[in-house]
Amino acid sequence: MLKRKTFENGFQYLEVKNSAASAKIALQGAHIFEYKRKAQGELFYLSETSDFALGKAIRGGVPICWPSFGLNNPDLPQHGFARVFLFEYISSSEMNATTTQLVFGLNDSAKTLSLWNYKFELRFIVTISDTLTMELQTLNKDTKEFTLTQAFHSYFKVSDISNIVLSGLDTKPCFDTLTKKNTLQNGDITVSEEFDKVFQEVDTILTLQDKDKIITIQNEGSSSVVVWNPWVEKCKRMNAMQDDDYREFICIESANAFEDFVVVKPNETQILKTIIL
Ligand code: TA6
């Protein structure tokens, strides 16, 4: 089942249901803000105080950071502009009873060119089943190459931040954005304070354990992963987040961030792909 829906304020999204899962994807930012699997339930955190208004990024689900991650391109807004631009819903295919694929697109316009002076075609292909597959395809339609940083800024819902263990980043070089220090990760990751680190040379499958729940994350076209939790004080300063919300999520972001930037030549396509099981 696929339905196009609109909130009273005109904010549009698509609702998908099949026998394995359901999802809601806003046209703004091609932003997945709900994804529920029949057996495991909701995968992502979504703030109860999130905006659903044009020009304001939804707080939770999977914001698409493009064509810049964070302030990697200081001339662009934090996390780029794609997450607050209206994508076109291009197509959908109910591949079988348990799998639905949707395609969304964003092309350059006078507005994007005023922010980032490159011609492009961006396609977001999402496959909804008991596995969630996200693919971001960037085609350079310009006559000059451009540099890209990007991420699926996924907010994974957790029982409590104190219960989680993230494996797969052991020995990876990481940049702590809070201390500005470079270190090597030692062992699995648990969170007991503000955490905001960029891991490089990531070529492994990540495993998030939350009590008896296990989620695996496999990335292609990316060798960096950002792990973030605001903890107490930053959570209080975050817009569209309630004071205790830091307990409810961990962001594990499949990225091309910092030195994992990509250069896309004219007529070339770069693909960032993430498979979440
Ligand atoms: O990916 C981590 C991060 O860069 C944090 O530093 C924090 O700023 C978070 O993203 C959320 O950013 P946003 O612009 O969505 O409020």
Side-chain angles (χ1 to χ4, degrees):
M1 181 281 289
L2 176 67
K3 278 187 184 163
R4 191 166 183 147
K5 295 200 169 175
T6 305
F7 288 136
E8 282 175 14
N9 67 352
F11 196 83
Q12 296 183 64
Y13 67 94
L14 291 174
E15 184 171 23
V16 175
K17 279 185 185 166
N18 59 46
S19 60
S22 65
K24 292 178 181 174
I25 305 150
L27 286 186
Q28 176 178 267
H31 192 136
I32 301 169
F33 61 92
E34 263 188 38
Y35 165 67
K36 288 180 188 162
R37 288 174 291 183
K38 282 276 188 302
Q40 298 90 333
E42 179 57 60
L43 181 65
F44 298 121
Y45 154 84
L46 177 66
S47 168
E48 289 175 8
T49 58
S50 176
D51 294 292
F52 283 91
L54 290 179
K56 290 192 172 185
I58 296 167
R59 177 67 69 196
V62 185
I64 291 175
C65 305
W66 188 94
S68 173
F69 175 81
L71 293 173
N72 282 176
N73 180 338
D75 299 329
L76 288 173
Q78 157 102 332
H79 292 326
F81 54 75
R83 62 177 175 168
V84 291
F85 270 63
L86 267 183
F87 279 61
E88 178 196 355
Y89 161 56
I90 293 175
S91 65
S92 63
S93 162
E94 295 186 306
M95 302 163 90
N96 56 49
T98 62
T99 309
T100 310
Q101 186 173 81
L102 302 174
V103 181
F104 298 86
L106 178 69
N107 296 346
D108 60 84
S109 63
K111 207 169 165 196
T112 67
L113 288 164
S114 71
L115 291 168
W116 191 61
N117 192 22
Y118 296 98
K119 295 185 186 324
F120 64 86
E121 267 181 24
L122 185 62
R123 294 292 177 266
F124 179 55
I125 299 142
V126 56
T127 308
I128 309 285
S129 186
D130 53 3
T131 304
L132 177 67
T133 303
M134 301 184 286
E135 197 167 316
L136 194 62
Q137 301 179 354
T138 300
L139 169 59
N140 181 340
K141 299 286 283 180
D142 212 300
T143 56
K144 50 191 185 295
E145 68 181 36
F146 53 65
T147 297
L148 201 50
T149 54
Q150 59 189 348
F152 292 127
H153 194 297
S154 307
Y155 285 77
F156 289 94
K157 186 180 178 66
V158 298
S159 58
D160 187 279
I161 190 68
S162 61
N163 293 331
I164 68 113
V165 179
L166 176 61
S167 311
L169 295 168
D170 184 27
T171 76
K172 299 302 178 189
C174 84
F175 173 64
D176 186 327
T177 69
L178 303 171
T179 64
K180 309 298 180 207
K181 287 200 170 73
N182 289 293
T183 57
L184 286 180
Q185 176 58 30
N186 178 20
D188 291 340
I189 291 170
T190 57
V191 177
S192 56
E193 58 185 348
E194 185 178 350
F195 194 104
D196 196 342
K197 295 185 179 179
V198 186
F199 295 85
Q200 297 289 350
E201 301 172 23
V202 181
D203 53 3
T204 46
I205 291 178
L206 306 185
T207 303
L208 174 64
Q209 179 145 17
D210 176 11
K211 298 201 294 190
D212 57 355
K213 195 166 92 173
I214 289 184
I215 293 162
T216 62
I217 303 162
Q218 183 176 344
N219 299 325
E220 296 170 20
S222 145
S223 58
S224 51
V225 168
V226 183
V227 180
W228 174 61
N229 182 279
W231 207 247
V232 179
E233 292 314 316
K234 181 154 186 182
C235 188
K236 288 176 184 166
R237 302 194 302 270
M238 298 294 295
N239 66 319
M241 222 180 250
Q242 299 181 88
D243 288 359
D244 279 349
D245 278 16
Y246 72 95
R247 308 203 69 93
E248 297 180 22
F249 72 87
I250 182 78
C251 278
I252 304 170
E253 306 159 31
S254 308
N256 294 107
F258 289 82
E259 58 261 43
D260 182 32
F261 63 83
V262 287
V263 176
V264 190
K265 293 187 175 6
N267 303 313
E268 278 190 357
T269 297
Q270 193 278 342
I271 298 175
L272 170 63
K273 184 173 181 178
T274 291
I275 303 164
I276 303 171
L277 187 55

